[in-house]
Amino acid sequence: MDAQSRGQTDGTDPADQWVLNPETGEYELRLNDSAEQPRTPRPRSAPHPGSTAPARVPGQRGRRAAPAAEDTPGPGSRKRKQKRSRKKKALMWTGGALGLVLVGGSAFAYYWYDRLYGNINTVDIGDVGSDEAVADGPVNLLVIGNDVRTGEGNEAYGNRTNVTGHADTTLLFHMSEDRTNATVVSIPRDLMIKIPDCESKQSDGSTKKIPGSTVPTKFNESYGVNGRDPGCTMLTVEEITGLELDHFMMFDFNAVKTLSTAVGGVKVCLEEPIKDLDGGSGLDLPEGESTIQGEDALSFLRNRHGLKNESDLDRIEMQQKFVASMLRQLKEDTLDSPSKMLDVADAATKSLTVDKGIGSPSKLLTLARELGKIDLKNITLMTLPVVDNPDEPTPVTVVLHPVEAPKLFSMLQNDVSLTEVKKKEKDAKDKQAELLEGTRAEASEIRVDVLNGGGPGGAAQDTLVWLQTSEGVARSTNKGNAPADVDKTRLEYAPNQADQARKLADLMGLPASAMRPGTTDADATTPMTLTLGPDFTKAGVSIAPPKKVDVKQSRADEKMCKK
């Protein structure tokens, strides 16, 4: 946290953002963040040696910035925007409150904007993340729960010699490109993974190089140990998932207490009573529904007693339900109360540390607007698929599930919704999928030229050998490098070659989006053209993302106590 700064990180005085409107005689807040400086693209790194993560998926960085007009609603549209937001916004603890503050046109609004600006802590994480609050395409946000024990009442959770803390509760929030759905993945703190090398910005402007781990280490050590900052945690998650992360938000223990109080309490439901006799928190909750806030809320989230196996994975499941319940409380009650909204914004920003890309109230509002477009029923919550660590006689740590974890990563990389409602809607509208419906030719009847248009070196030849020796596609030819690289693998074919194309798609694991039918029939000896793109990893490995992952899931609109 040496590089942490408080307040006006972009050098803009909030007072300079107030402009007198000559028509009304009132001062109005004009939020125009300082212009972003050109950014040198971060080199795409290969997965860390020993990592099970797939190669990084291109195309998620360098996206077009969101239009400036979206940053702040104009005076004439304020009423309509606020009405619509109350129906849809409920995803960020600060979103609604910041919206109310930032569109205000009074000294009261200025006071709150200035106060929130001063609350926010920022960390310079160098080349990790994005300088834009929101860009076109999917958005990946990392929410880190820091287990630092400083603060009144937190001594009951044990002394911590590391005053910086660790990455205790970590959520990966993936927001889809079309903003119709989101996936929230909890990352277990006891996940054994290799932590990559990283760099940390120091308060004097220098950069400290921090070596990674040479052997699998607990994930929670990706922050706080050896001077690792949140950028190191982001890099670790990128290595695990193959995604590129845009931003991080980090909350401490006190955030749970102040936020749960600011919203008026959070409803939880227990199958059996919880009474913490050993943990020292004094938590005592009955069976059924309770509304908790403050110290009880923190104790509830830290508690393992009374859960199925008293494990961290059971606790993660309860934490997910708590977050979903808080979101519902924001939507059903808090957004209609200006005083509660301001309390939530104040409480959140006091306990909040972010990267500079979202280091101001206006940038947080921009991000909150995008998140607020998603209905709660289309937010899927789950825990990263893991299994007990086979290297431990009595496992207390976990490792990535060898089958289900790669499936989940592929779905996130390809922006596939895990929400059944959205999948059904999308499938119904996906006319492209019809290209895979119909008869199939025999493998021996397929004629295809294979080109490398951005895949790994030697991909065309490797695919040719695999097709001929393993799949019986003898009439295939390696045509070397394509005239130009392609964004994704594609198969071009004539209408009368559709049965061949469908068979080759089955063999290669091609998605419907890779099918490129022509309009004119070809003669019997003309081959199809298969161009391998950067989404191609290895012959015999499906390019199409899986449609589901076998892991327990829940939705943000599901109530804890179902009657």
Side-chain angles (χ1 to χ4, degrees):
M1 299 294 289
D2 292 337
Q4 178 174 298
S5 60
R6 179 180 289 276
Q8 291 130 11
T9 57
D10 60 3
T12 302
D13 186 339
D16 293 335
Q17 297 177 303
W18 287 81
V19 180
L20 179 65
N21 186 332
E23 296 182 1
T24 64
E26 297 287 340
Y27 281 91
E28 298 178 353
L29 185 59
R30 305 290 175 86
L31 298 176
N32 293 312
D33 286 325
S34 57
E36 305 286 358
Q37 297 298 318
R39 177 184 176 87
T40 302
R42 174 158 48 102
R44 302 184 184 278
S45 60
H48 193 282
S51 169
T52 59
R56 182 158 313 193
V57 176
Q60 292 201 16
R61 183 67 63 237
R63 300 183 291 247
R64 182 167 54 86
E70 290 294 316
D71 288 347
T72 307
S77 62
R78 182 174 65 183
K79 184 174 182 181
R80 178 176 58 84
K81 292 283 187 180
Q82 287 182 343
K83 182 176 180 181
R84 184 174 60 185
S85 70
R86 287 196 176 116
K87 295 180 179 179
K88 294 185 177 180
K89 289 184 182 178
L91 300 183
M92 294 298 296
W93 290 323
T94 59
L98 288 174
L100 179 68
V101 172
L102 295 178
V103 299
S106 65
F108 178 74
Y110 167 74
Y111 163 77
W112 274 102
Y113 177 79
D114 188 43
R115 176 167 174 168
L116 297 180
Y117 210 126
N119 283 350
I120 301 171
N121 292 325
T122 62
V123 171
D124 184 352
I125 53 176
D127 289 338
V128 185
S130 172
D131 287 335
E132 303 166 349
V134 176
D136 287 348
V139 174
N140 296 304
L141 172 69
L142 194 67
V143 180
I144 304 170
N146 183 354
D147 69 352
V148 65
R149 311 298 169 85
T150 58
E152 183 179 354
N154 294 335
E155 62 275 0
Y157 302 98
N159 294 323
R160 177 72 72 189
T161 55
N162 180 0
V163 296
T164 305
H166 296 105
D168 186 58
T169 299
T170 305
L171 302 175
L172 171 61
F173 195 109
H174 173 82
M175 180 168 56
S176 68
E177 181 174 6
D178 61 8
R179 308 300 189 251
T180 63
N181 64 90
T183 302
V184 183
V185 182
S186 295
I187 302 176
R189 65 177 188 174
D190 294 333
L191 173 67
M192 299 299 286
I193 198 73
K194 286 188 177 180
I195 300 172
D197 298 343
C198 63
E199 296 182 346
S200 177
K201 291 283 186 178
Q202 306 299 295
S203 57
D204 61 1
S206 63
T207 299
K208 178 182 178 181
K209 294 185 177 180
I210 305 173
S213 61
T214 57
V215 296
T217 304
K218 284 186 178 181
F219 171 79
N220 70 340
E221 295 187 14
S222 64
Y223 172 75
V225 176
N226 299 327
R228 295 183 180 119
D229 64 15
C232 297
T233 307
M234 291 177 70
L235 281 176
T236 302
V237 174
E238 290 186 344
E239 295 288 354
I240 294 171
T241 64
L243 296 167
E244 286 190 351
L245 304 190
D246 298 282
H247 301 292
F248 83 88
M249 291 182 174
M250 184 165 66
F251 294 89
D252 59 24
F253 271 22
N254 295 317
V256 176
K257 294 190 284 188
T258 56
L259 282 169
S260 59
T261 301
V263 300
V266 178
K267 292 181 180 179
V268 298
C269 188
L270 299 176
E271 295 180 0
E272 58 184 66
I274 289 181
K275 192 165 186 176
D276 185 8
L277 300 176
D278 303 319
S281 68
L283 182 66
D284 188 357
L285 296 176
E287 178 184 349
E289 186 174 274
S290 298
T291 299
I292 58 175
Q293 60 182 315
E295 197 67 48
D296 281 346
L298 178 58
S299 299
F300 176 80
L301 293 179
R302 298 293 305 162
N303 174 72
R304 295 190 188 190
H305 303 290
L307 303 181
K308 297 175 184 176
N309 301 309
E310 297 194 355
S311 70
D312 188 51
L313 296 181
D314 292 332
R315 183 167 63 179
I316 285 175
E317 185 177 334
M318 292 298 292
Q319 290 171 346
Q320 291 174 349
K321 292 178 179 178
F322 180 91
V323 170
S325 183
M326 180 178 282
L327 293 178
R328 288 193 300 273
Q329 175 72 8
L330 280 167
K331 182 176 182 180
E332 296 170 0
D333 178 63
T334 309
L335 293 181
D336 288 328
S337 171
S339 62
K340 286 186 179 180
M341 290 165 69
L342 291 173
D343 287 343
V344 169
D346 192 36
T349 52
K350 279 181 178 178
S351 305
L352 179 65
T353 300
V354 299
D355 60 274
K356 288 190 172 182
I358 50 175
S360 71
S362 59
K363 289 183 176 181
L364 284 173
L365 174 61
T366 300
L367 178 61
R369 279 202 194 99
E370 293 299 292
L371 297 174
K373 295 176 181 178
I374 307 173
D375 195 298
L376 288 178
K377 68 181 180 180
N378 293 324
I379 301 178
T380 303
L381 300 97
M382 66 174 62
T383 301
L384 182 65
V386 294
V387 295
D388 287 342
N389 188 351
D391 294 332
E392 295 177 344
T394 305
V396 295
T397 60
V398 294
V399 296
L400 293 174
H401 194 295
V403 176
E404 300 305 325
K407 285 183 183 179
L408 175 61
F409 301 152
S410 177
M411 294 177 75
L412 294 176
Q413 292 163 7
N414 289 279
D415 202 23
V416 176
S417 172
L418 280 86
T419 305
E420 289 294 334
V421 174
K422 299 311 299 181
K423 284 194 293 185
K424 290 177 181 178
E425 290 179 1
K426 186 175 181 180
D427 290 345
K429 297 177 182 178
D430 191 2
K431 299 299 182 183
Q432 189 81 8
E434 296 177 0
L435 297 175
L436 294 177
E437 298 177 1
T439 59
R440 267 71 172 160
E442 296 296 327
S444 59
E445 299 174 15
I446 296 175
R447 293 179 180 269
V448 62
D449 288 341
V450 184
L451 297 87
N452 190 346
Q461 181 60 28
D462 291 343
T463 300
L464 179 72
V465 172
W466 177 78
L467 286 173
Q468 292 182 345
T469 60
S470 299
E471 304 302 322
V473 184
R475 299 174 180 179
S476 51
T477 306
N478 174 12
K479 291 294 184 178
N481 291 331
D485 284 352
V486 294
D487 293 333
K488 293 183 178 181
T489 297
R490 62 177 61 175
L491 176 61
E492 299 168 277
Y493 58 96
N496 61 334
Q497 296 173 323
D499 55 345
Q500 295 183 48
R502 287 189 286 266
K503 180 62 176 180
L504 185 60
D506 292 344
L507 298 176
M508 295 288 298
L510 299 180
S513 59
M515 309 297 281
R516 303 295 176 88
T519 58
T520 305
D521 286 345
D523 60 49
T525 60
T526 299
M528 301 181 294
T529 301
L530 174 65
T531 306
L532 306 175
D535 54 343
F536 175 84
T537 56
K538 181 181 178 182
V541 176
S542 176
I543 297 173
K547 294 184 178 181
K548 65 179 181 178
V549 57
D550 187 15
V551 60
K552 186 176 181 180
Q553 305 171 25
S554 62
R555 287 190 340 213
D557 66 333
E558 293 177 358
K559 294 186 177 181
M560 295 184 76
C561 278
K562 298 179 181 179
K563 297 181 180 180

